[in-house]
Amino acid sequence: MTTSGGWLARALRSGNFLIGAALSGTLALTALVSLFWTPKSATAISIPHRLTQPSGEFPLGTDHFGRDVLSMLMVGAQNSILVGVVAVGIGATLGIALGALASARRGWVEEVVMRLTDFSFAFPAILSAIMLTAILGPGTVNSIIAIGIFNIPLFARVTRGSANAIWAREFILAARAAGKGAFRITLEHVLPNIASVLIVQATIQFALAILAEAGLSYLGLGTQPPQPSWGRMLNEAQTMMFLAPRLAVFPGIAIALAVLGLNLLGDGLRDLFDPKLARKR
Amino acid sequence: MRAKLSIIAALTLLAGVGAAQTRDTLVIGFQQEPTGLDPTLDSTAAIETIVAQNIVETLVQMDERGQVKPALATGWTITADGLTYAFKIRDNRKFHNGRKLDSSDVKFSFERAMAPDSTNPNKRIFANIATVATPSPTEVVLTLKTPDSLLLFNLTNAKAGVWAKETVETNKVTPVGSGPYKFGRRVTGDRIVLVRNDDHPDAKSVRLREVSYKFIQDPNASVAALLSGDLDAFPNMPAPEMLKQFERNAQFKVAVGTTEGEVILAIHNGKAPFNDVRVRRAIAHAIDRKALIEGAMFGYGTPIGSHFPPHNPNYVDLTGMYPLDLAKAKALLAEAGHPNGFEASLKLPPFPYARRSGEVIASQLGAIGIKIKIEPVEWAQWIGPVFRESQFDLTIVAHVQPYDLDNYTKQPYYYNYNSPDFTKLWGEILQATDPAKQGELFKRAQRKVAEDAVNGFLFQLPQLGVYRAGLEGYWLSSPGAAAPLAQLRWTR
């Protein structure tokens, strides 16, 4: 086992982890700050200031309604994080529970759960999210539910796969011999041992959730006006590509950086958690 | 090298000449695809635009300035009491199925619209017709129950078109009329193609052999289609900000005209809290039309204060009736029992003018405490639940029919305005035979709906068209929803 000092030292040496953590940290910090303060209101329409170039007053300029693009991006970060956290939360909670159940019970329970996840994988995730929001109606909450639901089978599959490996280990046999039930073994031995895999998975799913929300909002199914959303900003900028290309560039960069940051963070975490990689270094 | 160049030059010239001689087709871009093509079933404006004056002919038709002109009828006489209209109709028309059109077809079409089970969206106009008589194959006499000074106007509409009785059931899919163009084919979701009717007496002066209406919902895609040559015209650009790039492009002409479309913030007058006139007036005081037109329409559009187009000679400017005054708006809300405002939903059909205006309106109403929840809806969800079933609080839409101020007499109608005074006033307008008196009454009617603040009156929808240079004969403005194809031609 490595000590916590070794862990930190390795973290500091990992470029992926550092860049990922910096970008994700910026994203989280921006969202946090925007809860209390933005340079201007992100929703207040001010027609006299429409489509102004970036300036001291509006660092990234304004959109066609005269809203401050920087403030909209900041509040949009909030929106992305909210969607990411809640959607991944829904997916992880239900998915891990199902996966752990399948792994603990095996037999027909595992068959049913895994065939259901196979079934849901047959549909492209974003398409099922579009279908769900079309049925439930557009909006942030419904897009969170839709993204959350398509996360469930992913977590179920990863949990079951990793948990099955743990269930085959000797210490589980020992726990069984000591008379512990399947539920206690899952909680006390299985989940702690697969936590690292799940955290990595959650980080990557978080990035995908942000991307999915932007996609849904771009299609008009996600966050509704006036609440700012990166995807909708992109959508609204489309027709103004020739007039003010920056309106599409800035939210595009924001989405790209957020997704890149979370992916790098996920990669970095995987490297750190992986004992094989740790020994090699 | 020189020889090579001259060959290229010659080839280019040849190609140019060839194109000039053979260019007799046109592809027009539309945003909204109509579900069917029968205007007697569905009031969707796109149907009227495609069908009116092109496929179906009417007794009278409108010109570009909104004046009534002879069409199937060569002339008409009206008795002094305004109750009898005698039309003399042409005997040189054939339906697209080859059968000759005569007065019995007019009688059939009108009586079909008058029938109790008629589905005609303008059924009310026909309800006032007592009898349709046909003294001879070229004469039609309409007898009215009460005088209707707008009858001729209303007869210009494709809903009063003259249809062949043997094909009337299939008009939704393959409309058969007597116009200069006939239905060619339809590729659902993509295009509707009309072809020249060579049996039409005016066919020789009709230059374009084939005209396609291509449906492109996404404004960007329509711009790309224009630039790439897939489209020759987009008579109603949905995104005003896109005109700028065409203004700089010599290959295109940008045409800014007006339409009959009054963009209104429709208010459900039958529902609390909007059934209180003070609430509706508060809304009127909170709307800043100038900012709205600037923000939502990039400055294109004329503010209106009532449900009447500014280009009409009887227009009266009522935009000053409810000046922008947030304090007064809040006071009116408080007086009506909503000192802290209230929550309301705003359903927006998928037109960019509506979606954008919706965001600006939501922000403007937010300033007086009315918290708006924006709900974008698809066209079918608008026509159904909102328009037919009145399930809405607020919505934004353009009313494109001429003289659609008469909607305010309709019972029931989606915004649920019910004023016996207005209905009486409209009755007087219909009976007024003197144009000056009628004009005065029109002004009173505009004032009445503005005083009752029935709806939020926003702006007159501009017609923002982009046409490939060399195309001529199109209308800059749309006095009705008609856009005749017969005069279109390529000059190069």
Side-chain angles (χ1 to χ4, degrees):
Chain A
M1 275 319 257
T2 48
T3 61
S4 66
W7 192 90
L8 193 69
R10 276 199 293 133
L12 289 176
R13 268 185 280 119
S14 158
N16 278 357
F17 179 81
L18 284 183
I19 299 172
L23 286 175
S24 311
T26 315
L27 173 71
L29 196 69
T30 311
L32 198 66
V33 170
S34 74
L35 281 176
F36 308 102
W37 176 86
T38 51
K40 293 264 178 334
S41 160
T43 51
I45 288 175
S46 165
I47 303 300
H49 292 114
R50 55 202 294 275
L51 292 175
T52 54
Q53 294 288 337
S55 64
E57 193 186 359
F58 302 103
L60 298 182
T62 59
D63 74 349
H64 59 294
F65 287 143
R67 294 174 295 202
D68 180 35
V69 172
L70 179 62
S71 308
M72 289 175 79
L73 284 178
M74 287 175 70
V75 179
Q78 229 183 75
N79 193 56
S80 293
I81 288 194
L82 174 79
V83 172
V85 168
V86 182
V88 172
I90 293 174
T93 314
L94 295 175
I96 291 172
L98 279 174
L101 177 76
S103 180
R105 280 291 176 81
R106 309 302 287 258
W108 68 269
V109 179
E110 185 179 31
E111 278 301 310
V112 170
V113 171
M114 287 306 114
R115 293 303 79 77
L116 278 178
T117 63
D118 288 346
F119 181 73
S120 68
F121 277 125
F123 297 96
I126 190 80
L127 264 189
S128 15
I130 289 173
M131 190 183 73
L132 270 171
T133 43
I135 295 167
L136 299 173
T140 313
V141 175
N142 289 341
S143 62
I144 288 176
I145 294 174
I147 298 168
I149 287 177
F150 85 63
N151 264 316
I152 295 174
L154 282 167
F155 278 98
R157 185 174 266 195
V158 169
T159 307
R160 177 252 183 189
S162 324
N164 276 358
I166 302 292
W167 275 99
R169 303 275 284 272
E170 290 84 351
F171 62 88
I172 299 289
L173 210 61
R176 275 205 169 136
K180 283 190 184 174
F183 184 70
R184 269 189 74 188
I185 294 176
T186 300
L187 278 188
E188 290 174 13
H189 298 289
V190 178
L191 288 182
N193 276 295
I194 62 170
S196 60
V197 179
L198 295 179
I199 290 170
V200 171
Q201 186 67 27
T203 319
I204 289 165
Q205 286 313 119
F206 198 103
L208 289 177
I210 288 181
L211 212 52
E213 192 277 334
L216 288 177
S217 294
Y218 176 82
L219 295 171
L221 296 167
T223 309
Q224 295 300 311
Q227 177 71 20
S229 140
W230 292 349
R232 226 193 46 254
M233 286 173 77
L234 266 185
N235 177 340
E236 286 173 358
Q238 295 195 90
T239 56
M240 275 165 268
M241 283 293 277
F242 295 91
L243 215 60
R246 62 175 184 281
L247 290 179
V249 171
F250 292 134
I253 290 177
I255 295 171
L257 286 182
V259 173
L260 176 72
L262 285 161
N263 277 334
L264 286 179
L265 184 69
D267 275 2
L269 284 174
R270 196 193 52 214
D271 293 354
L272 293 181
F273 286 140
D274 194 332
K276 284 184 217 123
L277 284 171
R279 240 173 276 132
K280 248 184 264 168
R281 289 191 185 174
Chain B
M1 186 64 192
R2 180 175 290 175
K4 209 177 193 180
L5 268 181
S6 61
I7 288 172
I8 291 173
L11 282 176
T12 322
L13 244 169
L14 258 173
V17 171
Q21 282 173 343
T22 55
R23 191 78 216 265
D24 57 357
T25 60
L26 177 72
V27 186
I28 302 176
F30 263 37
Q31 201 187 11
Q32 189 191 352
E33 179 177 10
T35 44
L37 281 172
D38 187 349
T40 67
L41 287 177
D42 186 335
S43 63
T44 305
I47 300 178
E48 182 79 22
T49 311
I50 294 170
V51 172
Q53 300 194 25
N54 297 325
I55 293 179
V56 76
E57 288 180 297
T58 40
L59 290 181
V60 284
Q61 68 187 30
M62 227 186 280
D63 69 4
E64 189 180 357
R65 285 169 303 143
Q67 304 299 312
V68 175
K69 290 254 183 97
L72 275 181
T74 51
W76 56 90
T77 54
I78 309 169
T79 52
D81 59 3
L83 286 175
T84 312
Y85 286 66
F87 295 91
K88 183 88 185 143
I89 63 166
R90 295 179 206 271
D91 67 349
N92 61 356
R93 287 297 197 272
K94 274 182 182 169
F95 284 116
H96 299 152
N97 60 9
R99 185 173 66 76
K100 198 164 183 310
L101 181 155
D102 64 31
S103 59
S104 68
D105 295 298
V106 181
K107 185 178 164 74
F108 165 77
S109 300
F110 283 23
E111 285 181 347
R112 175 167 171 261
M114 289 152 59
D117 62 344
S118 156
T119 52
N120 197 302
N122 278 6
K123 194 175 174 181
R124 276 162 33 102
I125 294 153
F126 296 99
N128 189 37
I129 299 175
T131 58
V132 184
T134 52
S136 82
T138 58
E139 281 174 287
V140 175
V141 179
L142 301 181
T143 313
L144 305 186
K145 292 174 189 160
T146 59
D148 177 0
S149 55
L150 292 176
L151 179 75
L152 288 176
F153 258 108
N154 289 323
L155 292 185
T156 64
N157 202 287
K159 296 168 187 71
V162 179
W163 304 95
K165 49 179 147 317
E166 60 273 24
T167 52
V168 84
E169 294 306 324
T170 51
N171 278 342
K172 187 177 179 188
V173 186
T174 51
V176 170
S178 59
Y181 280 89
K182 52 188 179 184
F183 176 78
R185 63 200 150 86
R186 173 174 193 167
V187 184
T188 306
D190 180 49
R191 60 176 68 209
I192 289 172
V193 181
L194 305 192
V195 292
R196 181 172 57 204
N197 171 16
D198 290 323
D199 294 334
H200 194 274
D202 302 335
K204 277 183 201 69
S205 67
V206 177
R207 302 284 185 84
L208 301 178
R209 182 178 48 81
E210 188 180 286
V211 177
S212 308
Y213 295 95
K214 192 166 167 56
F215 305 102
I216 304 183
Q217 257 224 313
D218 175 39
N220 278 316
S222 55
V223 168
L226 278 166
L227 292 173
S228 71
D230 286 349
L231 288 184
D232 300 309
F234 211 94
N236 235 323
M237 266 321 245
E241 65 270 29
M242 294 182 147
L243 289 185
K244 295 268 186 297
Q245 55 177 308
F246 289 108
E247 277 168 0
R248 291 192 293 259
N249 189 335
Q251 281 191 297
F252 293 95
K253 266 197 212 160
V254 170
V256 180
T258 69
T259 68
E260 280 287 333
E262 295 89 13
V263 179
I264 61 166
L265 169 70
I267 304 175
H268 194 309
N269 280 241
K271 195 169 170 183
F274 306 105
N275 52 5
D276 187 331
V277 69
R278 289 171 297 191
V279 170
R280 301 198 301 268
R281 285 182 180 150
I283 291 175
H285 275 298
I287 294 173
D288 179 356
R289 295 189 190 89
K290 195 171 164 289
L292 173 70
I293 293 169
E294 197 57 44
M297 299 299 295
F298 282 67
Y300 298 105
T302 314
I304 52 170
S306 186
H307 198 115
F308 216 68
H311 55 251
N312 191 295
N314 296 318
Y315 171 76
V316 47
D317 186 355
L318 296 168
T319 51
M321 189 182 269
Y322 303 100
L324 179 66
D325 187 343
L326 298 186
K328 190 161 182 197
K330 279 184 191 156
L332 279 166
L333 277 188
E335 215 180 288
H338 308 282
N340 301 317
F342 53 85
E343 284 178 22
S345 85
L346 173 60
K347 293 196 174 161
L348 301 175
F351 309 112
Y353 74 79
R355 294 269 164 99
R356 285 211 181 129
S357 300
E359 281 201 60
V360 180
I361 290 289
S363 136
Q364 293 180 352
L365 295 185
I368 59 165
I370 302 178
K371 286 170 278 300
I372 297 291
K373 185 173 177 286
I374 292 176
E375 286 180 51
V377 292
E378 289 310 310
W379 185 235
Q381 269 75 55
W382 193 89
I383 279 288
V386 177
F387 186 71
R388 295 216 178 94
E389 294 158 33
S390 270
Q391 290 171 17
F392 75 108
D393 294 340
L394 300 167
T395 182
I396 292 177
V397 77
H399 280 259
V400 296
Q401 298 289 333
Y403 293 106
D404 47 16
L405 196 52
D406 79 327
N407 288 340
Y408 292 75
T409 64
K410 288 186 185 169
Q411 299 297 338
Y413 199 57
Y414 76 108
Y415 42 71
N416 289 286
Y417 174 64
N418 187 355
S419 161
D421 287 350
F422 184 84
T423 308
K424 190 165 154 276
L425 182 58
W426 196 258
E428 287 173 36
I429 287 176
L430 295 182
Q431 294 185 20
T433 42
D434 172 28
K437 182 166 182 254
Q438 193 192 40
E440 207 39 59
L441 290 168
F442 269 129
K443 288 176 183 164
R444 265 176 57 197
Q446 293 169 56
R447 256 188 216 104
K448 175 68 181 156
V449 292
E451 275 161 12
D452 288 346
V454 183
N455 294 311
F457 303 105
L458 307 177
F459 56 88
Q460 197 71 23
L461 200 64
Q463 169 128 326
L464 306 172
V466 176
Y467 298 86
R468 192 168 298 283
L471 181 69
E472 282 178 13
Y474 49 82
W475 288 2
L476 290 185
S477 300
S478 289
L485 305 171
Q487 283 103 45
L488 293 178
R489 64 192 176 275
W490 289 103
T491 54
R492 62 177 154 100

